[in-house]
Amino acid sequence: MDENTALIQAYKTLRDKTVELCKPLAIEDYVIQSMDDVSPPKWHLAHTTWFFETFILKKFSKTYSEFNPLFHHLFNSYYNGIGLPYPRPKRGMLSRPTVESIYSYRKWVDDHVIHLLENSNNEIQSILKLGLNHEEQHQELLLMDIKYNLFMNPEFPAYVVTQTQADSQSKISQLDLIPIQGGISEIGYDKNDFCFDNELPKHKHLLQPFALGSRLVTNGEYLEFIKSGGYHQSNWWLADGWDYLQKNNWQHPLYWFQQENKWYEYSLNGGLKELNVNQPVTHVSYYEADAYARWKDTRLPTEAEWEYFVRKNKIKIDGNFLENNYLQAKTSSSNQFFGDVWEWTASSYSAYPGFKPFVGELGEYNGKFMSNQMVLRGGACVTPKNHIRISYRNFFQSEKRWQFSGIRLATNL
Amino acid sequence: MDENTALIQAYKTLRDKTVELCKPLAIEDYVIQSMDDVSPPKWHLAHTTWFFETFILKKFSKTYSEFNPLFHHLFNSYYNGIGLPYPRPKRGMLSRPTVESIYSYRKWVDDHVIHLLENSNNEIQSILKLGLNHEEQHQELLLMDIKYNLFMNPEFPAYVVTQTQADSQSKISQLDLIPIQGGISEIGYDKNDFCFDNELPKHKHLLQPFALGSRLVTNGEYLEFIKSGGYHQSNWWLADGWDYLQKNNWQHPLYWFQQENKWYEYSLNGGLKELNVNQPVTHVSYYEADAYARWKDTRLPTEAEWEYFVRKNKIKIDGNFLENNYLQAKTSSSNQFFGDVWEWTASSYSAYPGFKPFVGELGEYNGKFMSNQMVLRGGACVTPKNHIRISYRNFFQSEKRWQFSGIRLATNL
Amino acid sequence: MDENTALIQAYKTLRDKTVELCKPLAIEDYVIQSMDDVSPPKWHLAHTTWFFETFILKKFSKTYSEFNPLFHHLFNSYYNGIGLPYPRPKRGMLSRPTVESIYSYRKWVDDHVIHLLENSNNEIQSILKLGLNHEEQHQELLLMDIKYNLFMNPEFPAYVVTQTQADSQSKISQLDLIPIQGGISEIGYDKNDFCFDNELPKHKHLLQPFALGSRLVTNGEYLEFIKSGGYHQSNWWLADGWDYLQKNNWQHPLYWFQQENKWYEYSLNGGLKELNVNQPVTHVSYYEADAYARWKDTRLPTEAEWEYFVRKNKIKIDGNFLENNYLQAKTSSSNQFFGDVWEWTASSYSAYPGFKPFVGELGEYNGKFMSNQMVLRGGACVTPKNHIRISYRNFFQSEKRWQFSGIRLATNL
Amino acid sequence: MDENTALIQAYKTLRDKTVELCKPLAIEDYVIQSMDDVSPPKWHLAHTTWFFETFILKKFSKTYSEFNPLFHHLFNSYYNGIGLPYPRPKRGMLSRPTVESIYSYRKWVDDHVIHLLENSNNEIQSILKLGLNHEEQHQELLLMDIKYNLFMNPEFPAYVVTQTQADSQSKISQLDLIPIQGGISEIGYDKNDFCFDNELPKHKHLLQPFALGSRLVTNGEYLEFIKSGGYHQSNWWLADGWDYLQKNNWQHPLYWFQQENKWYEYSLNGGLKELNVNQPVTHVSYYEADAYARWKDTRLPTEAEWEYFVRKNKIKIDGNFLENNYLQAKTSSSNQFFGDVWEWTASSYSAYPGFKPFVGELGEYNGKFMSNQMVLRGGACVTPKNHIRISYRNFFQSEKRWQFSGIRLATNL
């Protein structure tokens, strides 16, 4: 199969997958935006399409005509170089274009992209791969946002009910801290396929000896922190975190709540469920992850430590990803560096030495967000498996927690 | 036809009319809430149903079972006596219940109401009439809210395109100030049919001589105020109005905008249209109405003056109402005391001497809003005609302007 | 004594009084602004001086030169016609001019005013009287603002300790509702001396029969409302009031607090004191006054009723005013229509029929505030006695309560 | 001289210096707080005293009695372990305690500290040194806050007029980028005297080759960025910075403004002055520093690079510090790594590997602020000279600019 055919195939598969993720939605579910951070599902469907239209069709196709000139503005997320984006907090105010119209938009663009791909060149292929990775990110965002939107509804509707069998509450392994020698490590992307600009350049880094948790922190372990009064004792918290906690009256991770002394958790795969104490704690902010680590007299790993550990131990990229259709983290075990939950690191999101952003307007993709965010590693149960690399850097502000984020501990040696 | 049969007929007609008003909507249009003041159309459909369920079926039907217990909370607007209402600014975050489900709710409640009406009593009939008037108010609110929601969309979609022929730009009559002797007037509802509690008791009021505008102020006349710099000269404005204008950067009435020296207006019946200078200015706030009057060296009439003038001149309740399906004010003429636009008065919304609120939880209907609002009179092109009475008192805060509000001038003699 | 000599005397006396009111202050107390509504004492000292400078010296003195050109901007309160006022919420950010410099400013202006008054004319005399009344208003504001500023300090410092003897807790009279026939009343100022524009024109008003409380509502009576759960039951409250109460967590009047089951009140004349149950409740908002009245199955009087009652019963303007130096309301008795506390009325602050604002820039004095405020009548223990007239209209927004405001009940007959 | 005598001497000298810094202030200047970030000068005077009272006298003196129990709360900055601090944004609402009373407080505490120091031990000496360093930080904060407070006043009063002779506008050297080999560097405090916990432990770090600017960026160079449209082109800015710039309408560094095509700068040492193009640009945020660097196709140095460069080149801690009494940066030259302006680095403020906070409640001193801040190096013209170390880490949020912060460029090699 030549590259173009393969790309066409990959393109179709991915685009179909996004549509499939929306199958369980009612039309009404496509429209709402229950906080500024989330986007309406129909916006994701349109924006990912806009990306191909803007950076491929408009640049490389001589025959392409815009589906709707207004979309140039409406579905621009944050590319100031392209024009003024429609204000993010107002995405939920748009009833039009309708869902049907957005599906027509997708078809229109897909037809043109596929046609163009039949005779593409290196540059097109390269941007197309970026577009595919971009849409993979939005597949995860779609599920994150749907979860938040449905959770805000007092009905607590489930997205799907896929969990035919309860995840066992069987015994889990002890959490050990596995020591590892320091030294000069290499970090960053080291292959010849696609990666994001923020994973480059590969470079050397000096590490002190450290130890890393053998498995993720569980709901049950995190519950101990809550029960010990952790959300009411300022000493565990970063100053910003303590302020945020008080202003927002945090008492527990997002999606948890307590009723008559029992703890429940809202999930995509079955709505409200009794909290499974053996599953990795999920939907915690950096502030909560950091406070928990301090309470345990440990700390969070740096991203360099995490990557070094994974490379040294030749850990495979395998685990509970989007393809599983489970959409929730599975029982904590020694094998969850990839999938299940994103792992907060103690590293602020900054440029690697020698970092060069993507060329042109796509330079806005990653670089301009390198302030006030922390890096997360490893992917989650809502991340497409082939989206993840050992060098993959996800990033969120310290207070965010609607992403599937969890905790792996570390210590100095 | 006995009273019960008549009521059933009225009930069915009214309920059908509400549904008919939603016909032009896409499912997506039912969901959104583009500012705190507006509600999603599906919320109106459900809330009006909730009203009958809560104040009639739950009180008087022995066989009624709730359609969905959660609706008790979700569709309570502001009746604290009934329970905690779902927060108003979050109505647009609810994708569920779906539109289809809300139509099922309507049917469920309708069936039970009609069944109950077959053997009703005075008390039921009385509350039912209130429920019908309540739903008439929400028919108007539906159109106000749909207009705002669609206007916020950069596509400026029309709600309907009913205007087959342009409203003539023919000459209009001169605006005269018609003098009227003062004296003791009677104000308030004086018949034996339904009215709101706030129209009672009928009482005497002493009026000084005054004069009232022979017709409504037009877009063209208001444009003169804009062109003279009215929005940039503090001396015309109430202090609160001047603050509000500056904070919100008001330059003209809501739904107007200027492009290349031409003025346009967004309308329900055709989307963006060139401004018709002979139509009554609409969608102005009290602050704007008051400033315009001061600029003309006049003032707004009090509600007592308005009612006295109408009674004295035996003006009929006739005009451009919802039933016209025109949904926009028509050319300014001497015959528009009723319909077309609500007329701002200089009267703050307060209790008539001896005012008694409706009994029980329905006492929250009007009385508790008697602060910081101004009275408007006469009904508009989106008001059901038989909803209006000479004594009818509408009310809005001074800065609101998404209602169809206009200006009639007055002076002292 | 000729008019000029008398005016010079009145001017000196009044200006000295203002300075005397500041005697108990430390320099630091002159500077702070503990909420947007209050102004630093030194700002009051300067603004009242600015008033004479701006509206008298700059208009009528040929020899006057500005003390400091910057003051034109800094000490303009809200006269947009004069120039852009310095932003109100930032008055507490100004350490300069110093207090000493402001006293020099006062002296500079006083010398020039007195000189001018030696040969004044009618116009000057008329504006000077307005300036004197203006400064009387600011004497009251000074004490209101000092009270709030000192109360915000966890030390709760007293302004003065004048109360050499405790106000007796002796028995008080029963609260009767005194009936009065309605009819055509005259309301508004009816003499030939100074009054504010908002008290004119005198006009006829038709009143229904009503009854008025024989004395003010006491702290003890208001406490019953609190104890009965009044601050937790929405049914007593206007909708706006209930919102405001919840957002601000109101549990009692301003300046009250409870410690170990005892109630205390912060006062100007002695700091924290045990609550005297026989004194009129003070520092309640309109919302609280209205809710209390509803709880008692009564209502607040209109301003026309209040004025009519006072005129009909020939009640003298006598009582506990600023000149008493007591600075707190005295035991509730049948003789407190004037002084002690301002009495909330059910009348929104609006123009009398035929109202004409002062001429020129002074037209901004009262008229532009005629929206979203309620009228209070009678003056308080911090009001200069000769500032009050039977027709005097004070006004505040419904949620304000740092003024000395209390409650007199009324009913329909 | 024994250690105790030396410490007493150091204590007296430092405490006197703080008081001396307040000499130019009027009483009124001690009181105000013109934004949440700044504190009233009298608060600084009291808080630094509170620090010695709380962490030394209350812990180690058997005879000490509190000056005023309320101060425990009022002058606690952010030590939650000690009790609830008085809310920061309300510091400017406190007229009491008066300035005089705070000076008495200082004397009271000084007398007791000196007495205690006559027979102190290691632990006391160690905390005392921290207290001295703490007060040195507040000497700088005092001047930063005074500058902001006076600048907010439309009078633009100068703090002092010390600049008897204009800083020459003579030619300055070219800005070269000085290359330096990478390798394993040591970073962190390496001596045996006092340092902050955040400078430890000393540790190895691997550096890539880089180049560092030979001098600081000047006002003139920064002006080129402004003139080229830098504040209107999103591509130079981090996303957070661009948002902040737009919301706050930034057009230039803090304290600059333009009048009739001339640029002025507000300064402590002379109020408004014409902008000196050869002085280092000061009072820029991280966002501005970073945007400027990007515009120059360079970047900011990391803190490790900065420290490595300084150590390698054996740069002495010398320059324009507080002791100069110049209070403004001097002409840009090759010798300004220390003093003049703090230099923004590209390093987020985080824990060194193996970081241990100070013991007990003093652990809140630095550690809890390790999120959402960037490191600055080198000290400024308002920093006491002996406060600075090569390893010294200052830190501010990316949008702050009332500190004396400037720009040194770097590049990769």
Side-chain angles (χ1 to χ4, degrees), chain D residues 20-60:
Chain D
E20 188 199 315
L21 290 176
C22 293
K23 279 278 158 60
L25 302 182
I27 295 289
E28 292 86 342
D29 296 328
Y30 285 85
V31 180
I32 60 171
Q33 176 179 34
S34 56
M35 69 164 165
D36 287 1
D37 285 330
V38 314
S39 297
K42 76 187 179 95
W43 188 90
H44 286 293
L45 289 174
H47 166 67
T48 46
T49 307
W50 173 94
F51 192 94
F52 289 111
E53 183 187 49
T54 302
F55 295 112
I56 292 188
L57 294 179
K58 287 191 182 174
K59 306 252 174 196
F60 299 103

Side-chain angles (χ1 to χ4, degrees), chain D residues 209-401:
Chain D
F210 67 99
L212 207 60
S214 59
R215 59 162 177 74
L216 296 163
V217 172
T218 64
N219 286 327
E221 288 161 339
Y222 196 83
L223 205 46
E224 292 307 309
F225 173 58
I226 296 176
K227 286 179 182 164
S228 80
Y231 280 76
H232 300 280
Q233 293 158 358
S234 64
N235 50 313
W236 310 118
W237 300 83
L238 287 164
D240 288 352
W242 184 243
D243 279 359
Y244 200 88
L245 172 158
Q246 293 189 296
K247 266 179 207 141
N248 294 278
N249 194 24
W250 279 358
Q251 305 276 352
H252 49 69
L254 181 61
Y255 297 128
W256 286 30
F257 67 88
Q258 200 179 13
Q259 211 168 16
E260 290 166 17
N261 284 326
K262 242 188 201 156
W263 284 95
Y264 297 85
E265 187 181 18
Y266 176 77
S267 65
L268 277 173
N269 65 15
L272 281 186
K273 296 197 286 197
E274 202 174 323
L275 189 72
N276 183 326
V277 293
N278 287 339
Q279 284 171 359
V281 65
T282 318
H283 296 295
V284 287
S285 64
Y286 177 77
Y287 294 131
E288 287 162 302
D290 175 80
Y292 178 81
R294 197 164 299 143
W295 180 71
K296 292 297 282 187
D297 206 11
T298 60
R299 59 170 174 84
L300 300 176
T302 64
E303 62 171 326
E305 288 169 343
W306 190 95
E307 187 168 336
Y308 182 60
F309 187 98
V310 165
R311 288 189 191 279
K312 194 105 174 189
N313 290 286
K314 302 195 158 86
I315 296 170
K316 288 266 167 51
I317 299 182
D318 201 2
N320 177 21
F321 282 107
L322 176 60
E323 288 72 12
N324 266 17
N325 291 319
Y326 190 72
L327 309 179
Q328 182 175 10
K330 293 201 166 177
T331 301
S332 186
S333 76
S334 62
N335 204 15
Q336 290 173 311
F337 281 83
F338 295 101
D340 286 300
V341 298
W342 289 99
E343 305 181 16
W344 281 112
T345 75
S347 300
S348 67
Y349 179 47
S350 60
Y352 282 169
F355 165 66
K356 282 200 184 63
F358 288 136
V359 174
E361 295 124 351
L362 288 164
E364 295 188 60
Y365 201 106
N366 279 311
K368 72 179 183 182
F369 300 110
M370 289 175 174
S371 68
N372 302 317
Q373 312 220 33
M374 303 304 287
V375 172
L376 302 99
R377 292 298 197 109
C381 54
V382 288
T383 315
K385 181 178 168 185
N386 74 348
H387 185 70
I388 287 300
R389 288 169 294 281
I390 290 179
S391 56
Y392 194 94
R393 310 172 78 196
N394 197 356
F395 49 92
F396 280 96
Q397 282 95 356
S398 302
E399 75 278 10
K400 301 300 186 207
R401 44 187 213 166

Side-chain angles (χ1 to χ4, degrees), chain B residues 290-332:
Chain B
D290 175 80
Y292 178 81
R294 197 165 298 143
W295 180 71
K296 292 297 282 186
D297 206 12
T298 60
R299 59 171 175 83
L300 300 176
T302 65
E303 62 171 326
E305 289 169 343
W306 190 95
E307 187 168 336
Y308 183 60
F309 187 98
V310 164
R311 288 189 190 279
K312 193 105 173 188
N313 290 286
K314 303 197 159 85
I315 295 169
K316 289 265 168 50
I317 300 181
D318 201 1
N320 177 22
F321 282 107
L322 176 60
E323 288 73 9
N324 266 17
N325 291 319
Y326 189 71
L327 309 180
Q328 182 174 10
K330 293 200 167 177
T331 300
S332 186

Side-chain angles (χ1 to χ4, degrees), chain B residues 79-118:
Chain B
Y79 295 87
N80 296 308
I82 291 295
L84 191 70
Y86 182 77
R88 181 182 185 120
K90 296 189 169 182
R91 289 176 187 166
M93 291 185 191
L94 299 173
S95 60
R96 319 284 178 93
T98 60
V99 172
E100 191 186 350
S101 166
I102 285 172
Y103 278 124
S104 302
Y105 176 44
R106 286 183 74 90
K107 181 158 176 18
W108 176 260
V109 165
D110 285 353
D111 289 349
H112 285 83
V113 167
I114 288 163
H115 181 70
L116 184 72
L117 283 184
E118 283 159 8

Side-chain angles (χ1 to χ4, degrees), chain A residues 28-29 70 95-96 99 153, chain B residues 28-29 95-96 99 153 155:
Chain A
E28 292 87 342
D29 296 327
L70 196 58
S95 59
R96 319 285 178 95
V99 172
N153 193 308
Chain B
E28 293 86 341
D29 296 328
S95 60
R96 319 284 178 93
V99 172
N153 193 309
E155 277 193 19

Side-chain angles (χ1 to χ4, degrees), chain A residues 15 40-53 71 74-76 97 102-103 105-106 109:
Chain A
R15 297 282 287 170
K42 76 187 178 94
W43 188 90
H44 287 293
L45 290 174
H47 166 67
T48 47
T49 307
W50 173 95
F51 193 94
F52 290 110
E53 182 187 50
F71 289 12
L74 287 183
F75 301 121
N76 180 357
I102 286 171
Y103 278 124
Y105 177 43
R106 287 183 74 90
V109 166

